[in-house]
Amino acid sequence: GESVGLHLPTLSVQEGDNSIINCAYSNSASDYFIWYKQESGKGPQFIIDIRSNMDKRQGQRVTVLLNKTVKHLSLQIAATQPGDSAVYFCAENSSNYGQNFVFGPGTRLSVLP
Amino acid sequence: DSGVTQTPKHLITATGQRVTLRCSPRSGDLSVYWYQQSLDQGLQFLIQYYNGEERAKGNILERFSAQQFPDLHSELNLSSLELGDSALYFCASSVDPDLNSPLHFGNGTRLTVT
C-alpha cells in the first residue's frame, strides 16, 4: 500500500522558536490525518487531527496545515519548549486502507537551550 | 494517560518460544489495533478488531495471531519467536473506525528475544 513520508528525519530548534515538521503523503484518497508525539519509553500521544475538508486547524500552541493539492501536511509548534523534544509522526487514514492508519517514519525534534 | 493498558511492560524470552501480550482498550472504545515498532521499520500495522471481530490485517506474520474478547480486551500471541521479532508492540483503541476518530495508544510491551 501507499505510505506516508517525512521530508526531515531530524530537526533542531532553539527554545522559544517556532518549529515546523513536514509530512508528504501519497494517497490522494486519504481523508483524515493525525499528528502524534512519542516520548522515549511511551506510546504515541495524540496531538491534533484534521479532516480533508479543512486546510487548517489550531490547538494549544500547535497548528496543522493540510495542502491537498500537493499532498502535504505540516505541524507547527509555537514557542517550542524543552518538553516538546520527542519524535513526531504523521498518520493518514482512508477507506482504501479499511480505516487503518499508515504512519510516517517520524521526525525527531530536539529543542536546544 | 491514554486509558489504554498494556501488559506486561517488558518481556524477555528465547527464540522458539511463545508469548502473549495483553491490551485493555479505553473505556467505551470498541476497536483495538496492534502495531509493531522497531528501529528500522517505524510503526507497522498488524491487525485490527472491532467489537470482537477481525476487521483488517496488515503485515502480520502467520506465526502471530490475535483476538478480541467479549469484554473487548485483546491479546496478541507471538509464537516460534525469532530474534527479529524483538520490538515494541503497541495496542491502540478507538471509538469506531468508521467515524475517523483518533487512535489512542498504550505505552507498549517491549519484547526482547534472545
Side-chain angles (χ1 to χ4, degrees):
Chain A
E2 295 171 289
S3 62
V4 177
L6 290 172
H7 296 307
L8 300 173
T10 59
L11 178 65
S12 296
V13 298
Q14 291 293 137
E15 182 179 353
D17 287 352
N18 296 334
S19 303
I20 299 176
I21 302 172
N22 296 302
C23 175
Y25 66 95
S26 56
N27 185 0
S28 57
S30 292
D31 54 9
Y32 181 51
F33 305 86
I34 302 180
W35 279 102
Y36 284 93
K37 172 187 180 182
Q38 187 176 20
E39 297 175 280
S40 180
K42 296 185 178 180
Q45 175 188 358
F46 170 82
I47 301 174
I48 192 168
D49 60 359
I50 188 168
R51 289 171 173 73
S52 59
N53 61 351
M54 303 172 69
D55 53 19
K56 180 179 180 179
R57 189 159 189 231
Q58 288 184 291
Q60 187 176 17
R61 282 201 307 119
V62 295
T63 300
V64 55
L65 299 177
L66 175 62
N67 185 331
K68 294 181 287 295
T69 302
V70 295
K71 287 183 261 183
H72 185 267
L73 190 70
S74 69
L75 176 71
Q76 299 178 1
I77 304 174
T80 312
Q81 302 169 357
D84 295 327
S85 293
V87 176
Y88 290 81
F89 294 94
C90 63
E92 65 172 314
N93 188 19
S94 80
S95 57
N96 287 356
Y97 297 152
Q99 302 295 328
N100 300 312
F101 287 87
V102 175
F103 284 77
T107 292
R108 181 172 299 279
L109 176 65
S110 294
V111 181
L112 307 174
Chain B
D1 183 9
S2 68
V4 177
T5 303
Q6 289 188 249
T7 57
K9 290 185 179 180
H10 302 279
L11 203 48
I12 301 174
T13 189
T15 55
Q17 295 299 305
R18 172 190 167 95
V19 297
T20 297
L21 282 52
R22 183 187 170 100
C23 169
S24 294
R26 286 193 326 162
S27 177
D29 285 358
L30 300 179
S31 193
V32 170
Y33 304 72
W34 286 98
Y35 281 82
Q36 180 191 57
Q37 186 178 43
S38 54
L39 284 176
D40 58 349
Q41 293 290 324
L43 277 160
Q44 299 292 316
F45 169 68
L46 296 178
I47 197 164
Q48 178 202 359
Y49 283 84
Y50 176 63
N51 209 16
E53 300 287 329
E54 182 183 302
R55 182 72 179 261
K57 263 186 175 180
N59 301 318
I60 188 167
L61 300 172
E62 286 191 10
R63 300 183 285 109
F64 297 179
S65 65
Q67 54 183 332
Q68 186 180 27
F69 294 87
D71 67 352
L72 301 178
H73 90 272
S74 178
E75 292 180 356
L76 178 67
N77 301 297
L78 314 177
S79 61
S80 303
L81 285 167
E82 302 175 359
L83 295 178
D85 297 327
S86 295
L88 275 165
Y89 291 85
F90 287 104
C91 171
S93 69
S94 70
V95 173
D96 184 333
D98 293 327
L99 294 179
N100 269 344
S101 55
L103 304 185
H104 296 274
F105 285 81
N107 283 327
T109 293
R110 181 176 292 280
L111 174 66
T112 302
V113 182
T114 62

